[in-house]
Amino acid sequence: MLRQIGEFYHQGEKDDTSRVWMTCWHHGGRILASCGDDKAVRVWSLVGEPDSKLHLECRTTLDDSHTRAARSVAFSNDGKFLVSASFDASVVIYQQDDGEFAEVNKLEGHESEVKCAVFSKSDEFLATCSRDKSVWFWQQDEDEDFSVSSILQPHTQDVKQVVWHPTEDLLVSCSYDSSIRFYRYDGEDWVTQQKIDGCHVGTVWSAAFDADGHRLVTVGEDHVIQLFVRENIDSKSADQDTWKAVARHEVENTRWPLYSVAWNPTNGLIATGGGDSKIRLFKISTSSDTPIIEPLGVGRHELDVNHVTWNPNPKFSNLLTSASDDGTIKLWELEI
Amino acid sequence: MEDSGFSGVVRLSNVSDFIAPNLDCIIPLETRTVEKKKEESQVNIRTKKKKEDVVPAKSDDVKKSVKISLADCLACNGCITSAETVLVEEQSFGRLLEGIQNSKLAVVTISPQTFVSFAVKLQKSTGDVATLISKFFHRHGVKYILDSSFARKFAHSLAFEELHSTPSTSRPLLSSACPGFVCYAEKSHGELLIPKISKIRSPQAISGALIKGYLAKKEGLSPCDVFHAAVMPCFDKKLEASREQFKVDGTEIRETDCVVSTAELLEEITKENPEGSIEDSTVFEGDEWMTHLSRGAVIGDAGGSSGGYADRIVRDFVHQNGGVIKTTKLNKNMFSTTVESPESGEILLRVAKVYGFRNVQNLVRKMKTKKEKTDYVEIMACPGGCANGGGQIRYETMDEREKRLERVEEEYDSLKAHDTLEDWVEKVRVDWGKVDQDYRRHLFTDYKPVETNVAQALKW
């Protein structure tokens, strides 16, 4: 099902590995950014074609922005900016200029380690979350600087990840407090739209929306995959709607958390990465009244898989990237 | 933690310390237990004693400390720190009443925001509320009820002079009345912000010095015989009261012994006097500034419910230099006022009001990149300013809260300003100078940066 087609060391040298926390694709699918414990962000080019020797070549290393591990990296949807979030409590913005990236801004304010930073689909907002239990919304102002739009603290513990809805200004946050929260913009401020407690037994590590934004899947410390759907798809906009849990699947042959989940926008397959070094594939079957989460295939790293992500370009829709504690970024091809 | 009474700024910036002392350290190290302070706040530390490592505790040690080696620490926040919650629990209403009983003279300072909060809740006039609250405290043995607006006038009178002597490179000068902001500045961005905070004390601190320094001497008492409590719109004022800088010179006696919030006072008054009715009057002895509240007269002041520092600066400036005043509202919690030269239109003074954590963050960012051209900022941690402090009377729904907040602001603005206030201040100032030549030092304070959490020192 999943065939490994490439393995690349984030830090370049096999004998000097350090954990890779995350990878993120540029919307065109040809550029990848990675970040890790070595405090650096690297930008890679995807070279080759789907049928012939696809591989990654490192183009840029950005290693003097952070003083502690770089935990998360993301491109803006227009590809103009790259944002990295670090344990040093700062968020750094890099701007792209003719293929080269350079640091243009440092956003400080979080009290402790920033776990995630992502741009909204329209790039109007940047959301960040931290161990300080808060979620911050930033906006770009006239001086090309970022100012704080709202600071919310509805979680009672470390916020692990924030994810934007694919089409609307709706954000979901996942936390160590076992809950997820949804946020929307009321014109002046960001407000909490819905709170769902007890999504998992223990930390909710990651969430992903499907391509339409009608469904949401979350994974957690209890190695369970939880599926939620919007309750009023036909009558309400996503940011005004509420979500309810409809299905769950417990991965049985493991006792390790699932750290990351990604939903393929083209073929609807779901990939998870976990503490047991495995990447698992699932699909949602809607053959009966209630949706069922069905396992498909498995891939392996040497150590914990921290993050999985699908290539957003339909041309590379079968391409999956994974980041691991073993210091590698692996490229996988889906074989159906 | 949402409605704990602290400003959002203190909650967010003190998050590492801000744990209820109920959590266990997740590492079973060799530790010693801590005595229980109250029934609810119990700390459990698993002990693993090794004979050679156990240090015998001194017999007169009431509080035993906890030690964890840095190398073992995961910075999970499960341990005891100087948790402000513990500090704050000391300042309960029970302690307040105890303090009054154990003193020879008890004085209470009440903030004007407290009066209007009560007025809107009980649907009474502020005058009636002043009488109600005064009677409550008098019944419990308090001799004088003071309005913090009186102490605030001291602060106001010094503000413009301070700004005038602040070079433009050291501006913007930031108001010092909000303890939420001061705590935040000392913990984060200490280097950038501390030099810019006004050194003038807050009204509560001035009141404390006035009472334990001036009033105590006048009544022939020593500071340890005087008990000073304050009723304030937020819990952050409790932290302010326990600052090192606000202790009577050469002693461990606090100038303000105990602070309770508006909401805590309402709870107590309602217990005793559920109808909130007013009883008959008595005669009050003492100078006007010490008795006007007991007689139901509340002092107002222009400039909004957060102390009117920005407005006072503008007024003093225009009084001295003339100019045209223009105010713009940048957002719900941010106002900018400029004074322009009527001939050239050149901007002579820029003053701003910045309320709420988000606006504070944005101000700090601008200050970091040196893009901030304002001369003075009235900076408050709570959105909505002090009228919306964390300790003010809370309502159930968001809608109600907003409506009531509007009413509180209106009520505050409608309080009549007394010119006589300035006269009283002058009289007391002169008298204080006679009693203590160096009294001016009690109108000022300083700030110290605080070490942040241990995790920053970790290597990963």
Side-chain angles (χ1 to χ4, degrees):
Chain A
M1 278 256 63
L2 260 187
R3 186 171 68 90
Q4 182 181 319
I5 59 172
E7 178 185 74
F8 308 90
Y9 284 89
H10 171 75
Q11 219 178 355
E13 302 293 319
K14 187 180 175 157
D15 296 324
D16 193 21
T17 59
S18 77
R19 167 192 285 140
V20 191
W21 276 116
M22 190 184 284
T23 58
C24 176
W25 286 103
H26 177 276
H27 67 85
R30 276 286 184 189
I31 307 175
L32 181 79
S34 66
C35 65
D37 263 3
D38 65 346
K39 310 173 190 146
V41 169
R42 284 188 172 73
V43 183
W44 310 73
S45 281
L46 180 67
V47 179
E49 292 305 314
D51 294 326
S52 72
K53 269 260 132 193
L54 273 177
H55 63 279
L56 293 172
E57 283 177 13
C58 184
R59 293 274 178 253
T60 320
T61 298
L62 303 158
D63 58 0
D64 56 6
S65 299
H66 290 300
T67 54
R68 282 179 67 190
R71 178 65 178 84
S72 144
V73 70
F75 279 99
S76 62
N77 294 283
D78 60 10
K80 187 170 162 206
F81 295 109
L82 187 60
V83 60
S84 65
S86 165
F87 283 175
D88 66 9
S90 73
V91 172
V92 170
I93 310 272
Y94 311 84
Q95 196 168 331
Q96 203 240 94
D97 187 18
D98 210 20
E100 280 303 311
F101 284 88
E103 178 180 333
V104 292
N105 223 323
K106 185 176 265 205
L107 309 181
E108 287 172 320
H110 272 295
E111 179 67 12
S112 53
E113 294 82 359
V114 189
K115 300 299 176 99
C116 189
V118 266
F119 281 95
S120 66
K121 286 310 180 241
S122 61
D123 286 336
E124 193 187 339
F125 295 102
L126 175 70
T128 61
C129 66
S130 160
R131 180 170 74 85
D132 66 15
K133 308 172 198 167
S134 64
V135 174
W136 290 40
F137 291 86
W138 308 74
Q139 241 176 324
Q140 237 191 339
D141 60 23
E142 330 76 46
D143 305 318
E144 295 223 321
D145 190 5
F146 284 80
S147 66
V148 183
S149 169
S150 306
I151 298 173
L152 280 88
Q153 198 173 327
H155 281 295
T156 55
Q157 295 288 356
D158 189 352
V159 188
K160 300 292 189 186
Q161 190 180 48
V162 278
V163 184
W164 287 99
H165 186 270
T167 53
E168 297 191 43
D169 280 341
L170 174 73
L171 184 83
V172 69
S173 63
C174 314
S175 166
Y176 176 29
D177 68 9
S178 315
S179 75
I180 60 176
R181 265 85 169 103
F182 293 86
Y183 312 87
R184 67 178 174 86
Y185 196 57
D186 72 357
E188 258 198 46
D189 264 323
W190 283 87
V191 294
T192 307
Q193 163 69 358
Q194 189 185 358
K195 298 182 181 187
I196 305 182
D197 289 320
C199 295
H200 289 272
V201 176
T203 313
V204 183
W205 277 103
S206 179
F209 285 98
D210 67 359
D212 297 319
H214 295 324
R215 294 173 296 177
L216 177 77
V217 73
T218 64
V219 294
E221 187 178 351
D222 54 0
H223 45 88
V224 161
I225 303 169
Q226 191 78 248
L227 180 68
F228 298 86
V229 293
R230 269 179 64 189
E231 298 192 88
N232 305 292
I233 293 172
D234 299 317
S235 50
K236 287 192 185 173
S237 61
D239 64 344
Q240 305 275 3
D241 206 353
T242 49
W243 299 72
K244 70 167 195 262
V246 294
R248 80 191 277 278
H249 173 85
E250 178 164 350
V251 175
E252 265 154 32
N253 54 357
T254 185
R255 52 189 180 86
W256 294 94
L258 291 173
Y259 290 127
S260 173
V261 67
W263 205 325
N264 190 312
T266 314
N267 56 35
L269 293 184
I270 293 170
T272 64
D276 63 357
S277 324
K278 293 199 184 120
I279 296 165
R280 291 179 171 78
L281 285 181
F282 298 87
K283 76 168 194 210
I284 311 276
S285 78
T286 41
S287 48
S288 62
D289 279 331
T290 46
I292 302 174
I293 304 170
E294 280 177 24
L296 293 176
V298 170
R300 305 191 70 101
H301 265 275
E302 296 301 311
L303 291 171
D304 304 28
V305 181
N306 296 315
H307 194 256
V308 288
T309 183
W310 294 100
N311 190 306
N313 188 333
K315 183 172 163 194
F316 303 113
S317 63
N318 290 341
L319 194 62
L320 178 78
T321 13
S322 59
S324 164
D325 272 4
D326 62 18
T328 65
I329 299 164
K330 287 198 193 322
L331 281 182
W332 306 82
E333 193 156 64
L334 194 65
E335 289 171 325
I336 308 172
Chain B
M1 281 281 168
E2 274 181 36
D3 283 324
S4 68
F6 283 97
S7 67
V9 173
V10 164
R11 262 185 282 132
L12 284 172
S13 67
N14 290 349
V15 149
S16 300
D17 292 334
F18 206 76
I19 37 98
N22 260 318
L23 304 175
D24 288 353
C25 173
I26 63 171
I27 300 174
L29 295 176
E30 180 254 313
T31 50
R32 296 181 237 147
T33 49
V34 169
E35 301 285 11
K36 280 193 233 176
K37 273 207 156 238
K38 277 173 74 144
E39 304 74 42
E40 311 97 64
S41 42
Q42 179 178 3
V43 178
N44 277 312
I45 312 262
R46 280 171 269 159
T47 52
K48 195 172 101 183
K49 291 201 186 89
K50 291 183 233 162
K51 267 214 176 126
E52 59 273 22
D53 292 336
V54 171
V55 177
K58 293 191 216 133
S59 54
D60 54 327
D61 253 3
V62 175
K63 274 184 234 167
K64 298 169 199 158
S65 62
V66 175
K67 291 195 175 116
I68 295 171
S69 108
L70 188 57
D72 297 319
C73 176
L74 298 181
C76 69
N77 287 334
C79 60
I80 299 164
T81 61
S82 56
E84 268 114 349
T85 31
V86 173
L87 203 68
V88 151
E89 270 157 19
E90 280 181 2
Q91 300 190 34
S92 61
F93 218 96
R95 293 290 185 106
L96 193 155
L97 296 173
E98 249 180 63
I100 297 174
Q101 278 171 12
N102 297 339
S103 68
K104 295 201 182 128
L105 170 69
V107 182
V108 176
T109 299
I110 309 190
S111 72
Q113 294 86 354
T114 300
F115 291 119
V116 294
S117 189
F118 264 75
V120 168
K121 171 75 182 179
L122 301 176
Q123 316 245 358
K124 289 194 192 310
S125 73
T126 22
D128 283 348
V129 164
T131 315
L132 173 74
I133 294 179
S134 305
K135 295 235 181 291
F136 170 82
F137 279 115
H138 285 309
R139 270 203 306 278
H140 281 281
V142 174
K143 190 165 180 199
Y144 300 117
I145 319 278
L146 308 182
D147 188 334
S148 67
S149 310
F150 178 70
R152 191 169 66 198
K153 266 290 174 261
F154 278 88
H156 275 189
S157 65
L158 300 162
F160 183 62
E161 191 189 310
E162 190 188 33
L163 177 64
H164 197 65
S165 56
T166 307
S168 57
T169 45
S170 306
R171 297 184 188 187
L173 183 62
L174 307 171
S175 68
S176 53
C178 175
F181 172 69
V182 170
C183 278
Y184 173 69
E186 288 183 321
K187 285 203 171 180
S188 338
H189 313 288
E191 262 178 53
L192 170 72
L193 294 177
I194 288 178
K196 301 207 156 68
I197 307 180
S198 158
K199 305 239 182 336
I200 302 171
R201 285 190 177 201
S202 74
Q204 176 178 292
I206 291 179
S207 203
L210 194 60
I211 290 163
K212 300 255 178 158
Y214 171 71
L215 197 57
K217 277 219 174 80
K218 294 269 293 183
E219 305 252 329
L221 295 166
S222 93
C224 61
D225 295 324
V226 182
F227 183 79
H228 175 220
V231 183
M232 290 286 154
C234 64
F235 276 47
D236 304 45
K237 284 288 177 188
K238 299 188 191 230
L239 297 181
E240 184 185 299
S242 45
R243 282 174 76 87
E244 276 308 307
Q245 293 90 332
F246 299 145
K247 290 200 172 131
V248 175
D249 283 342
T251 72
E252 284 301 298
I253 303 173
R254 294 199 196 141
E255 287 172 340
T256 304
D257 298 285
C258 183
V259 178
V260 292
S261 67
T262 309
E264 285 176 272
L265 178 63
L266 178 69
E267 211 187 301
E268 281 303 311
I269 289 190
T270 322
K271 269 194 230 162
E272 287 194 11
N273 203 347
E275 304 291 80
S277 64
I278 327 266
E279 294 113 47
D280 46 52
S281 53
T282 11
V283 177
F284 299 99
E285 284 174 19
D287 289 343
E288 272 204 78
W289 63 275
M290 299 189 291
T291 56
H292 68 96
L293 281 182
S294 307
R295 283 190 244 117
V298 183
I299 309 169
D301 206 354
S305 59
S306 296
Y309 298 93
D311 279 34
R312 176 62 189 253
I313 296 260
V314 170
R315 265 185 289 139
D316 283 0
F317 181 88
V318 170
H319 190 253
Q320 197 183 81
N321 307 310
V324 177
I325 303 175
K326 287 200 181 141
T327 303
T328 12
K329 177 176 174 174
L330 301 168
N331 67 50
K332 216 160 53 168
N333 283 299
M334 217 155 115
F335 298 86
S336 160
T337 301
T338 53
V339 178
E340 285 176 16
S341 150
E343 303 90 36
S344 63
E346 179 202 341
I347 296 183
L348 307 166
L349 181 76
R350 273 189 185 83
V351 161
K353 289 185 190 177
V354 172
Y355 303 161
F357 195 41
R358 158 205 156 175
N359 290 317
V360 168
Q361 279 297 310
N362 288 329
L363 176 73
V364 171
R365 277 182 68 68
K366 286 228 166 75
M367 283 172 67
K368 269 208 163 132
T369 54
K370 308 225 190 332
K371 285 191 202 156
E372 190 52 59
K373 293 178 254 159
T374 320
D375 296 292
Y376 185 88
V377 182
E378 178 180 298
I379 188 162
M380 300 289 149
C382 297
C386 301
N388 196 28
Q392 291 282 71
I393 297 168
R394 282 250 172 280
Y395 300 93
E396 290 299 320
T397 62
M398 279 304 293
D399 246 5
E400 250 222 286
R401 286 187 197 184
E402 276 189 44
K403 276 202 216 107
R404 298 281 186 151
L405 180 61
E406 256 185 68
R407 281 285 302 126
V408 167
E409 300 266 14
E410 273 170 25
E411 191 66 40
Y412 190 96
D413 287 335
S414 73
L415 295 174
K416 290 215 194 72
H418 278 214
D419 272 344
T420 40
L421 194 51
E422 312 261 0
D423 297 335
W424 297 342
V425 166
E426 261 322 290
K427 264 183 60 190
V428 170
R429 192 203 286 275
V430 168
D431 213 24
W432 200 356
K434 292 194 194 132
V435 153
D436 179 0
Q437 257 193 342
D438 210 8
Y439 82 94
R440 265 184 75 99
R441 77 189 187 288
H442 291 305
L443 301 174
F444 295 92
T445 183
D446 61 32
Y447 312 97
K448 274 195 220 99
V450 170
E451 284 311 306
T452 45
N453 69 60
V454 144
Q456 293 294 341
L458 293 179
K459 298 285 194 292
W460 44 270

